[in-house]
Amino acid sequence: GAGVSQSPRYKVTKRGQDVALRCDPISGHVSLYWYRQALGQGPEFLTYFNYEAQQDKSGLPNDRFSAERPEGSISTLTIQRTEQRDSAMYRCASSFGIGTFNTEAFFGQGTRLTVV
Amino acid sequence: SQQGEEDPQALSIQEGENATMNCSYKTSINNLQWYRQNSGRGLVHLILIRSNEREKHSGRLRVTLDTSKKSSSLLITASRAADTASYFCATGPYNQGGKLIFGQGTELSVKP
């Protein structure tokens, strides 16, 4: 596709359920990033991949959060046993180069997660 | 934790005026980037300035970077109503190549 695609756009889930958020990066982009954004705040880094390798997961809040990118393209962010504090906009981004040294990141429209 | 801090938090100007937003950060960086977010939309990249650059222009945008003061500014000249959005600075920390650390943002309102 022309841009970074995320699905679903909106997800409402009950507390305690697991959710999987999908990101389809721009074709050919090497790096993929996950961010979380609360209302009125800037995006907060969660994790990033170069190809299929997870390079940095220091931003994942706890072990209920995990991410994978098994074939170096599509990525899934999984949240297990969701809690209300997990409610936020989850944004995915990709970049052509390795990391963000000197290359811009292209962001998707995000998945709005609401845990009730 | 967020290291970028934008100033002011909110700015309201008339169409045609210039808008200046500032960003401060704490650690050494590879680069600094500015993004725009319209209400309900995604983040759009505006401009990237490397740590060895001091000034960069793109259309009506002018970005400066002062690494000694760990600060940057974004100037939008001849503003338009369509420039109304939130503006975020994001730093790429030195030796942490994949991470962008975003500030809290400046909410710009341009009145026709």
mmCIF file of all heavy atoms in Angstrom, chain B residues 13-60:
data_model
loop_
_atom_site.group_PDB
_atom_site.id
_atom_site.type_symbol
_atom_site.label_atom_id
_atom_site.label_comp_id
_atom_site.label_asym_id
_atom_site.label_seq_id
_atom_site.Cartn_x
_atom_site.Cartn_y
_atom_site.Cartn_z
ATOM 1 N N ILE B 13 -2.670 32.442 17.007
ATOM 2 C CA ILE B 13 -2.240 33.584 16.199
ATOM 3 C C ILE B 13 -3.235 33.834 15.075
ATOM 4 O O ILE B 13 -4.120 33.002 14.822
ATOM 5 C CB ILE B 13 -0.834 33.362 15.603
ATOM 6 C CG1 ILE B 13 -0.828 32.112 14.710
ATOM 7 C CG2 ILE B 13 0.214 33.261 16.696
ATOM 8 C CD1 ILE B 13 0.482 31.901 13.973
ATOM 9 N N GLN B 14 -3.075 34.960 14.398
ATOM 10 C CA GLN B 14 -3.910 35.279 13.245
ATOM 11 C C GLN B 14 -3.219 34.792 11.969
ATOM 12 O O GLN B 14 -1.985 34.731 11.897
ATOM 13 C CB GLN B 14 -4.138 36.788 13.146
ATOM 14 C CG GLN B 14 -4.944 37.384 14.289
ATOM 15 C CD GLN B 14 -6.378 36.895 14.300
ATOM 16 O OE1 GLN B 14 -6.888 36.444 15.321
ATOM 17 N NE2 GLN B 14 -7.035 36.971 13.149
ATOM 18 N N GLU B 15 -4.037 34.478 10.994
ATOM 19 C CA GLU B 15 -3.506 34.088 9.688
ATOM 20 C C GLU B 15 -2.547 35.163 9.177
ATOM 21 O O GLU B 15 -2.813 36.357 9.297
ATOM 22 C CB GLU B 15 -4.672 33.917 8.700
ATOM 23 C CG GLU B 15 -4.526 32.729 7.798
ATOM 24 C CD GLU B 15 -5.779 32.434 6.991
ATOM 25 O OE1 GLU B 15 -6.658 33.312 6.886
ATOM 26 O OE2 GLU B 15 -5.877 31.312 6.471
ATOM 27 N N GLY B 16 -1.437 34.715 8.628
ATOM 28 C CA GLY B 16 -0.451 35.651 8.091
ATOM 29 C C GLY B 16 0.685 35.939 9.054
ATOM 30 O O GLY B 16 1.768 36.363 8.631
ATOM 31 N N GLU B 17 0.452 35.717 10.336
ATOM 32 C CA GLU B 17 1.507 35.927 11.321
ATOM 33 C C GLU B 17 2.465 34.730 11.321
ATOM 34 O O GLU B 17 2.169 33.668 10.788
ATOM 35 C CB GLU B 17 0.906 36.116 12.717
ATOM 36 C CG GLU B 17 0.089 37.379 12.860
ATOM 37 C CD GLU B 17 -0.512 37.542 14.251
ATOM 38 O OE1 GLU B 17 -0.611 36.544 14.986
ATOM 39 O OE2 GLU B 17 -0.873 38.676 14.596
ATOM 40 N N ASN B 18 3.613 34.932 11.952
ATOM 41 C CA ASN B 18 4.579 33.847 12.115
ATOM 42 C C ASN B 18 4.347 33.149 13.447
ATOM 43 O O ASN B 18 3.938 33.771 14.430
ATOM 44 C CB ASN B 18 6.012 34.389 12.076
ATOM 45 C CG ASN B 18 6.364 34.994 10.740
ATOM 46 O OD1 ASN B 18 5.719 34.720 9.728
ATOM 47 N ND2 ASN B 18 7.396 35.821 10.723
ATOM 48 N N ALA B 19 4.638 31.858 13.474
ATOM 49 C CA ALA B 19 4.506 31.069 14.698
ATOM 50 C C ALA B 19 5.856 30.464 15.035
ATOM 51 O O ALA B 19 6.505 29.864 14.160
ATOM 52 C CB ALA B 19 3.473 29.963 14.521
ATOM 53 N N THR B 20 6.278 30.617 16.279
ATOM 54 C CA THR B 20 7.544 30.041 16.727
ATOM 55 C C THR B 20 7.286 29.099 17.892
ATOM 56 O O THR B 20 6.627 29.462 18.869
ATOM 57 C CB THR B 20 8.529 31.125 17.179
ATOM 58 O OG1 THR B 20 8.805 31.991 16.071
ATOM 59 C CG2 THR B 20 9.838 30.497 17.643
ATOM 60 N N MET B 21 7.811 27.888 17.751
ATOM 61 C CA MET B 21 7.698 26.893 18.815
ATOM 62 C C MET B 21 9.094 26.434 19.189
ATOM 63 O O MET B 21 9.960 26.315 18.316
ATOM 64 C CB MET B 21 6.879 25.695 18.319
ATOM 65 C CG MET B 21 5.410 26.007 18.174
ATOM 66 S SD MET B 21 4.560 24.854 17.084
ATOM 67 C CE MET B 21 4.716 25.680 15.523
ATOM 68 N N ASN B 22 9.299 26.185 20.467
ATOM 69 C CA ASN B 22 10.611 25.794 20.956
ATOM 70 C C ASN B 22 10.571 24.400 21.562
ATOM 71 O O ASN B 22 9.528 23.934 22.029
ATOM 72 C CB ASN B 22 11.087 26.788 22.024
ATOM 73 C CG ASN B 22 11.134 28.195 21.481
ATOM 74 O OD1 ASN B 22 11.862 28.500 20.560
ATOM 75 N ND2 ASN B 22 10.305 29.066 22.052
ATOM 76 N N CYS B 23 11.721 23.759 21.540
ATOM 77 C CA CYS B 23 11.843 22.409 22.067
ATOM 78 C C CYS B 23 13.159 22.304 22.811
ATOM 79 O O CYS B 23 14.199 22.743 22.299
ATOM 80 C CB CYS B 23 11.797 21.408 20.911
ATOM 81 S SG CYS B 23 12.243 19.714 21.343
ATOM 82 N N SER B 24 13.125 21.752 24.008
ATOM 83 C CA SER B 24 14.360 21.497 24.749
ATOM 84 C C SER B 24 14.472 20.000 25.020
ATOM 85 O O SER B 24 13.455 19.303 25.123
ATOM 86 C CB SER B 24 14.378 22.279 26.068
ATOM 87 O OG SER B 24 13.294 21.882 26.888
ATOM 88 N N TYR B 25 15.693 19.528 25.109
ATOM 89 C CA TYR B 25 15.902 18.106 25.349
ATOM 90 C C TYR B 25 17.081 17.932 26.298
ATOM 91 O O TYR B 25 17.779 18.901 26.620
ATOM 92 C CB TYR B 25 16.127 17.359 24.037
ATOM 93 C CG TYR B 25 17.292 17.852 23.216
ATOM 94 C CD1 TYR B 25 18.559 17.293 23.339
ATOM 95 C CD2 TYR B 25 17.121 18.889 22.302
ATOM 96 C CE1 TYR B 25 19.622 17.748 22.595
ATOM 97 C CE2 TYR B 25 18.185 19.349 21.549
ATOM 98 C CZ TYR B 25 19.432 18.781 21.688
ATOM 99 O OH TYR B 25 20.487 19.243 20.949
ATOM 100 N N LYS B 26 17.310 16.703 26.750
ATOM 101 C CA LYS B 26 18.266 16.501 27.842
ATOM 102 C C LYS B 26 19.543 15.773 27.433
ATOM 103 O O LYS B 26 20.608 16.044 27.971
ATOM 104 C CB LYS B 26 17.599 15.739 28.983
ATOM 105 C CG LYS B 26 16.442 16.484 29.653
ATOM 106 C CD LYS B 26 15.896 15.726 30.839
ATOM 107 C CE LYS B 26 14.821 16.497 31.594
ATOM 108 N NZ LYS B 26 13.594 16.650 30.788
ATOM 109 N N THR B 27 19.441 14.798 26.505
ATOM 110 C CA THR B 27 20.607 13.965 26.224
ATOM 111 C C THR B 27 21.203 14.281 24.853
ATOM 112 O O THR B 27 20.608 14.998 24.055
ATOM 113 C CB THR B 27 20.223 12.482 26.266
ATOM 114 O OG1 THR B 27 19.285 12.222 25.215
ATOM 115 C CG2 THR B 27 19.578 12.115 27.595
ATOM 116 N N SER B 28 22.369 13.728 24.574
ATOM 117 C CA SER B 28 22.986 13.883 23.256
ATOM 118 C C SER B 28 22.120 13.195 22.205
ATOM 119 O O SER B 28 21.510 12.162 22.462
ATOM 120 C CB SER B 28 24.383 13.265 23.263
ATOM 121 O OG SER B 28 25.207 13.948 24.165
ATOM 122 N N ILE B 29 22.101 13.779 21.025
ATOM 123 C CA ILE B 29 21.201 13.277 19.982
ATOM 124 C C ILE B 29 21.928 13.072 18.663
ATOM 125 O O ILE B 29 22.982 13.662 18.407
ATOM 126 C CB ILE B 29 20.014 14.240 19.736
ATOM 127 C CG1 ILE B 29 20.523 15.611 19.293
ATOM 128 C CG2 ILE B 29 19.146 14.340 20.980
ATOM 129 C CD1 ILE B 29 19.416 16.561 18.851
ATOM 130 N N ASN B 30 21.357 12.195 17.837
ATOM 131 C CA ASN B 30 21.787 12.053 16.448
ATOM 132 C C ASN B 30 21.093 13.081 15.560
ATOM 133 O O ASN B 30 21.678 13.619 14.633
ATOM 134 C CB ASN B 30 21.454 10.658 15.911
ATOM 135 C CG ASN B 30 22.333 9.590 16.509
ATOM 136 O OD1 ASN B 30 23.548 9.738 16.559
ATOM 137 N ND2 ASN B 30 21.723 8.514 16.979
ATOM 138 N N ASN B 31 19.821 13.287 15.852
ATOM 139 C CA ASN B 31 19.041 14.220 15.047
ATOM 140 C C ASN B 31 17.825 14.664 15.830
ATOM 141 O O ASN B 31 17.493 14.098 16.883
ATOM 142 C CB ASN B 31 18.619 13.580 13.719
ATOM 143 C CG ASN B 31 17.704 12.385 13.912
ATOM 144 O OD1 ASN B 31 16.534 12.550 14.275
ATOM 145 N ND2 ASN B 31 18.197 11.188 13.656
ATOM 146 N N LEU B 32 17.155 15.658 15.317
ATOM 147 C CA LEU B 32 15.913 16.135 15.913
ATOM 148 C C LEU B 32 14.910 16.288 14.784
ATOM 149 O O LEU B 32 15.260 16.802 13.705
ATOM 150 C CB LEU B 32 16.138 17.456 16.649
ATOM 151 C CG LEU B 32 14.954 18.017 17.448
ATOM 152 C CD1 LEU B 32 15.448 18.713 18.709
ATOM 153 C CD2 LEU B 32 14.088 18.943 16.619
ATOM 154 N N GLN B 33 13.704 15.861 15.008
ATOM 155 C CA GLN B 33 12.675 15.893 13.972
ATOM 156 C C GLN B 33 11.441 16.613 14.504
ATOM 157 O O GLN B 33 11.154 16.581 15.697
ATOM 158 C CB GLN B 33 12.307 14.466 13.552
ATOM 159 C CG GLN B 33 13.523 13.628 13.151
ATOM 160 C CD GLN B 33 13.151 12.256 12.634
ATOM 161 O OE1 GLN B 33 12.092 12.051 12.058
ATOM 162 N NE2 GLN B 33 14.066 11.297 12.825
ATOM 163 N N TRP B 34 10.728 17.244 13.602
ATOM 164 C CA TRP B 34 9.461 17.881 13.934
ATOM 165 C C TRP B 34 8.339 17.171 13.181
ATOM 166 O O TRP B 34 8.466 16.872 11.985
ATOM 167 C CB TRP B 34 9.474 19.367 13.581
ATOM 168 C CG TRP B 34 10.285 20.194 14.535
ATOM 169 C CD1 TRP B 34 11.615 20.496 14.460
ATOM 170 C CD2 TRP B 34 9.798 20.851 15.720
ATOM 171 N NE1 TRP B 34 11.993 21.278 15.522
ATOM 172 C CE2 TRP B 34 10.897 21.515 16.308
ATOM 173 C CE3 TRP B 34 8.555 20.951 16.336
ATOM 174 C CZ2 TRP B 34 10.785 22.260 17.487
ATOM 175 C CZ3 TRP B 34 8.446 21.689 17.501
ATOM 176 C CH2 TRP B 34 9.543 22.334 18.070
ATOM 177 N N TYR B 35 7.238 16.926 13.901
ATOM 178 C CA TYR B 35 6.065 16.276 13.334
ATOM 179 C C TYR B 35 4.837 17.140 13.595
ATOM 180 O O TYR B 35 4.786 17.900 14.580
ATOM 181 C CB TYR B 35 5.835 14.901 13.976
ATOM 182 C CG TYR B 35 6.798 13.832 13.513
ATOM 183 C CD1 TYR B 35 8.076 13.752 14.055
ATOM 184 C CD2 TYR B 35 6.429 12.914 12.538
ATOM 185 C CE1 TYR B 35 8.964 12.768 13.633
ATOM 186 C CE2 TYR B 35 7.313 11.931 12.111
ATOM 187 C CZ TYR B 35 8.576 11.859 12.667
ATOM 188 O OH TYR B 35 9.446 10.888 12.250
ATOM 189 N N ARG B 36 3.839 16.997 12.726
ATOM 190 C CA ARG B 36 2.569 17.685 12.878
ATOM 191 C C ARG B 36 1.454 16.652 13.014
ATOM 192 O O ARG B 36 1.478 15.614 12.347
ATOM 193 C CB ARG B 36 2.293 18.585 11.671
ATOM 194 C CG ARG B 36 0.993 19.372 11.766
ATOM 195 C CD ARG B 36 0.747 20.156 10.493
ATOM 196 N NE ARG B 36 0.444 19.273 9.384
ATOM 197 C CZ ARG B 36 0.726 19.531 8.117
ATOM 198 N NH1 ARG B 36 1.357 20.645 7.802
ATOM 199 N NH2 ARG B 36 0.400 18.679 7.175
ATOM 200 N N GLN B 37 0.501 16.948 13.869
ATOM 201 C CA GLN B 37 -0.648 16.064 14.045
ATOM 202 C C GLN B 37 -1.910 16.898 14.011
ATOM 203 O O GLN B 37 -2.149 17.712 14.901
ATOM 204 C CB GLN B 37 -0.555 15.302 15.366
ATOM 205 C CG GLN B 37 -1.665 14.285 15.566
ATOM 206 C CD GLN B 37 -1.431 13.424 16.777
ATOM 207 O OE1 GLN B 37 -0.861 13.862 17.779
ATOM 208 N NE2 GLN B 37 -1.851 12.169 16.714
ATOM 209 N N ASN B 38 -2.702 16.693 12.961
ATOM 210 C CA ASN B 38 -4.009 17.340 12.888
ATOM 211 C C ASN B 38 -4.990 16.577 13.752
ATOM 212 O O ASN B 38 -4.797 15.406 14.043
ATOM 213 C CB ASN B 38 -4.517 17.376 11.454
ATOM 214 C CG ASN B 38 -3.663 18.258 10.575
ATOM 215 O OD1 ASN B 38 -2.946 19.122 11.055
ATOM 216 N ND2 ASN B 38 -3.721 18.029 9.281
ATOM 217 N N SER B 39 -6.045 17.250 14.148
ATOM 218 C CA SER B 39 -7.030 16.636 15.026
ATOM 219 C C SER B 39 -7.567 15.355 14.393
ATOM 220 O O SER B 39 -8.067 15.351 13.281
ATOM 221 C CB SER B 39 -8.175 17.618 15.275
ATOM 222 O OG SER B 39 -9.176 17.022 16.067
ATOM 223 N N GLY B 40 -7.416 14.257 15.127
ATOM 224 C CA GLY B 40 -7.956 12.993 14.641
ATOM 225 C C GLY B 40 -7.165 12.333 13.543
ATOM 226 O O GLY B 40 -7.587 11.326 12.988
ATOM 227 N N ARG B 41 -6.006 12.879 13.222
ATOM 228 C CA ARG B 41 -5.239 12.309 12.118
ATOM 229 C C ARG B 41 -3.921 11.724 12.624
ATOM 230 O O ARG B 41 -3.589 11.796 13.781
ATOM 231 C CB ARG B 41 -4.936 13.420 11.094
ATOM 232 C CG ARG B 41 -6.165 14.092 10.532
ATOM 233 C CD ARG B 41 -6.846 13.248 9.484
ATOM 234 N NE ARG B 41 -7.964 13.921 8.862
ATOM 235 C CZ ARG B 41 -7.860 14.662 7.776
ATOM 236 N NH1 ARG B 41 -6.678 14.840 7.215
ATOM 237 N NH2 ARG B 41 -8.923 15.229 7.260
ATOM 238 N N GLY B 42 -3.182 11.167 11.697
ATOM 239 C CA GLY B 42 -1.885 10.607 12.035
ATOM 240 C C GLY B 42 -0.808 11.676 12.147
ATOM 241 O O GLY B 42 -1.054 12.861 11.929
ATOM 242 N N LEU B 43 0.373 11.238 12.480
ATOM 243 C CA LEU B 43 1.530 12.120 12.587
ATOM 244 C C LEU B 43 2.202 12.251 11.227
ATOM 245 O O LEU B 43 2.450 11.253 10.560
ATOM 246 C CB LEU B 43 2.534 11.542 13.578
ATOM 247 C CG LEU B 43 2.166 11.695 15.038
ATOM 248 C CD1 LEU B 43 2.745 10.556 15.842
ATOM 249 C CD2 LEU B 43 2.677 13.022 15.565
ATOM 250 N N VAL B 44 2.510 13.473 10.860
ATOM 251 C CA VAL B 44 3.151 13.726 9.581
ATOM 252 C C VAL B 44 4.520 14.344 9.822
ATOM 253 O O VAL B 44 4.644 15.333 10.550
ATOM 254 C CB VAL B 44 2.293 14.671 8.714
ATOM 255 C CG1 VAL B 44 3.034 15.030 7.430
ATOM 256 C CG2 VAL B 44 0.956 14.022 8.397
ATOM 257 N N HIS B 45 5.547 13.757 9.200
ATOM 258 C CA HIS B 45 6.901 14.271 9.351
ATOM 259 C C HIS B 45 7.044 15.596 8.617
ATOM 260 O O HIS B 45 6.609 15.729 7.466
ATOM 261 C CB HIS B 45 7.894 13.255 8.786
ATOM 262 C CG HIS B 45 9.321 13.651 8.928
ATOM 263 N ND1 HIS B 45 9.997 14.364 7.970
ATOM 264 C CD2 HIS B 45 10.196 13.454 9.928
ATOM 265 C CE1 HIS B 45 11.229 14.575 8.382
ATOM 266 N NE2 HIS B 45 11.373 14.029 9.560
ATOM 267 N N LEU B 46 7.652 16.587 9.279
ATOM 268 C CA LEU B 46 7.861 17.895 8.664
ATOM 269 C C LEU B 46 9.298 18.094 8.224
ATOM 270 O O LEU B 46 9.567 18.473 7.076
ATOM 271 C CB LEU B 46 7.469 19.006 9.643
ATOM 272 C CG LEU B 46 5.992 19.072 10.046
ATOM 273 C CD1 LEU B 46 5.795 20.164 11.091
ATOM 274 C CD2 LEU B 46 5.117 19.313 8.832
ATOM 275 N N ILE B 47 10.224 17.874 9.136
ATOM 276 C CA ILE B 47 11.605 18.202 8.841
ATOM 277 C C ILE B 47 12.524 17.492 9.815
ATOM 278 O O ILE B 47 12.159 17.249 10.969
ATOM 279 C CB ILE B 47 11.799 19.742 8.878
ATOM 280 C CG1 ILE B 47 13.092 20.173 8.203
ATOM 281 C CG2 ILE B 47 11.699 20.264 10.297
ATOM 282 C CD1 ILE B 47 13.129 21.666 7.893
ATOM 283 N N LEU B 48 13.705 17.129 9.354
ATOM 284 C CA LEU B 48 14.734 16.490 10.185
ATOM 285 C C LEU B 48 15.985 17.331 10.125
ATOM 286 O O LEU B 48 16.402 17.762 9.041
ATOM 287 C CB LEU B 48 15.018 15.082 9.654
ATOM 288 C CG LEU B 48 16.068 14.210 10.367
ATOM 289 C CD1 LEU B 48 15.743 12.734 10.166
ATOM 290 C CD2 LEU B 48 17.487 14.496 9.884
ATOM 291 N N ILE B 49 16.585 17.578 11.278
ATOM 292 C CA ILE B 49 17.854 18.306 11.318
ATOM 293 C C ILE B 49 18.864 17.439 12.060
ATOM 294 O O ILE B 49 18.572 16.892 13.130
ATOM 295 C CB ILE B 49 17.671 19.706 11.960
ATOM 296 C CG1 ILE B 49 18.972 20.503 11.872
ATOM 297 C CG2 ILE B 49 17.164 19.614 13.399
ATOM 298 C CD1 ILE B 49 18.786 22.006 12.138
ATOM 299 N N ARG B 50 20.033 17.275 11.459
ATOM 300 C CA ARG B 50 21.067 16.437 12.055
ATOM 301 C C ARG B 50 21.797 17.200 13.143
ATOM 302 O O ARG B 50 21.806 18.421 13.172
ATOM 303 C CB ARG B 50 22.051 15.979 10.976
ATOM 304 C CG ARG B 50 21.432 15.066 9.930
ATOM 305 C CD ARG B 50 22.459 14.682 8.861
ATOM 306 N NE ARG B 50 21.970 13.682 7.928
ATOM 307 C CZ ARG B 50 21.217 13.950 6.869
ATOM 308 N NH1 ARG B 50 20.855 15.184 6.617
ATOM 309 N NH2 ARG B 50 20.830 12.973 6.071
ATOM 310 N N SER B 51 22.474 16.463 14.004
ATOM 311 C CA SER B 51 23.137 17.103 15.140
ATOM 312 C C SER B 51 24.272 18.026 14.716
ATOM 313 O O SER B 51 24.656 18.924 15.468
ATOM 314 C CB SER B 51 23.680 16.034 16.099
ATOM 315 O OG SER B 51 24.612 15.202 15.438
ATOM 316 N N ASN B 52 24.802 17.845 13.504
ATOM 317 C CA ASN B 52 25.896 18.715 13.039
ATOM 318 C C ASN B 52 25.383 19.873 12.173
ATOM 319 O O ASN B 52 26.168 20.606 11.578
ATOM 320 C CB ASN B 52 26.951 17.921 12.264
ATOM 321 C CG ASN B 52 26.387 17.268 11.023
ATOM 322 O OD1 ASN B 52 25.179 17.274 10.799
ATOM 323 N ND2 ASN B 52 27.259 16.688 10.211
ATOM 324 N N GLU B 53 24.075 20.020 12.092
ATOM 325 C CA GLU B 53 23.474 21.125 11.357
ATOM 326 C C GLU B 53 22.933 22.157 12.330
ATOM 327 O O GLU B 53 22.531 21.820 13.450
ATOM 328 C CB GLU B 53 22.349 20.617 10.439
ATOM 329 C CG GLU B 53 22.842 19.662 9.361
ATOM 330 C CD GLU B 53 21.696 19.090 8.526
ATOM 331 O OE1 GLU B 53 20.667 18.697 9.111
ATOM 332 O OE2 GLU B 53 21.854 19.038 7.286
ATOM 333 N N ARG B 54 22.885 23.397 11.892
ATOM 334 C CA ARG B 54 22.420 24.469 12.769
ATOM 335 C C ARG B 54 21.088 25.053 12.316
ATOM 336 O O ARG B 54 20.330 25.587 13.140
ATOM 337 C CB ARG B 54 23.467 25.574 12.844
ATOM 338 C CG ARG B 54 24.727 25.149 13.564
ATOM 339 C CD ARG B 54 24.454 24.798 15.016
ATOM 340 N NE ARG B 54 25.559 24.082 15.631
ATOM 341 C CZ ARG B 54 25.562 22.774 15.820
ATOM 342 N NH1 ARG B 54 24.518 22.033 15.463
ATOM 343 N NH2 ARG B 54 26.589 22.187 16.398
ATOM 344 N N GLU B 55 20.827 24.970 11.017
ATOM 345 C CA GLU B 55 19.598 25.549 10.508
ATOM 346 C C GLU B 55 19.173 24.789 9.258
ATOM 347 O O GLU B 55 20.018 24.321 8.490
ATOM 348 C CB GLU B 55 19.824 27.028 10.167
ATOM 349 C CG GLU B 55 18.580 27.799 9.789
ATOM 350 C CD GLU B 55 18.846 29.288 9.674
ATOM 351 O OE1 GLU B 55 19.482 29.856 10.580
ATOM 352 O OE2 GLU B 55 18.418 29.880 8.670
ATOM 353 N N LYS B 56 17.846 24.680 9.085
ATOM 354 C CA LYS B 56 17.330 24.004 7.908
ATOM 355 C C LYS B 56 16.007 24.631 7.508
ATOM 356 O O LYS B 56 15.228 25.060 8.369
ATOM 357 C CB LYS B 56 17.140 22.521 8.199
ATOM 358 C CG LYS B 56 17.175 21.634 6.977
ATOM 359 C CD LYS B 56 17.462 20.203 7.377
ATOM 360 C CE LYS B 56 17.588 19.334 6.146
ATOM 361 N NZ LYS B 56 17.873 17.935 6.490
ATOM 362 N N HIS B 57 15.757 24.693 6.189
ATOM 363 C CA HIS B 57 14.544 25.296 5.678
ATOM 364 C C HIS B 57 13.791 24.296 4.829
ATOM 365 O O HIS B 57 14.381 23.457 4.152
ATOM 366 C CB HIS B 57 14.870 26.516 4.806
ATOM 367 C CG HIS B 57 15.558 27.617 5.537
ATOM 368 N ND1 HIS B 57 14.925 28.789 5.877
ATOM 369 C CD2 HIS B 57 16.817 27.718 5.993
ATOM 370 C CE1 HIS B 57 15.787 29.574 6.502
ATOM 371 N NE2 HIS B 57 16.935 28.955 6.594
ATOM 372 N N SER B 58 12.464 24.392 4.891
ATOM 373 C CA SER B 58 11.619 23.612 4.000
ATOM 374 C C SER B 58 10.346 24.392 3.771
ATOM 375 O O SER B 58 9.476 24.465 4.637
ATOM 376 C CB SER B 58 11.304 22.243 4.616
ATOM 377 O OG SER B 58 10.427 21.516 3.779
ATOM 378 N N GLY B 59 10.243 25.021 2.610
ATOM 379 C CA GLY B 59 9.071 25.834 2.321
ATOM 380 C C GLY B 59 8.927 26.966 3.333
ATOM 381 O O GLY B 59 9.839 27.767 3.519
ATOM 382 N N ARG B 60 7.785 27.010 4.043
ATOM 383 C CA ARG B 60 7.557 28.054 5.039
ATOM 384 C C ARG B 60 8.104 27.683 6.411
ATOM 385 O O ARG B 60 7.882 28.391 7.396
ATOM 386 C CB ARG B 60 6.051 28.332 5.148
ATOM 387 C CG ARG B 60 5.437 28.928 3.895
ATOM 388 C CD ARG B 60 3.951 29.277 4.073
ATOM 389 N NE ARG B 60 3.142 28.091 4.307
ATOM 390 C CZ ARG B 60 2.537 27.810 5.453
ATOM 391 N NH1 ARG B 60 2.635 28.610 6.499
ATOM 392 N NH2 ARG B 60 1.807 26.721 5.557
#
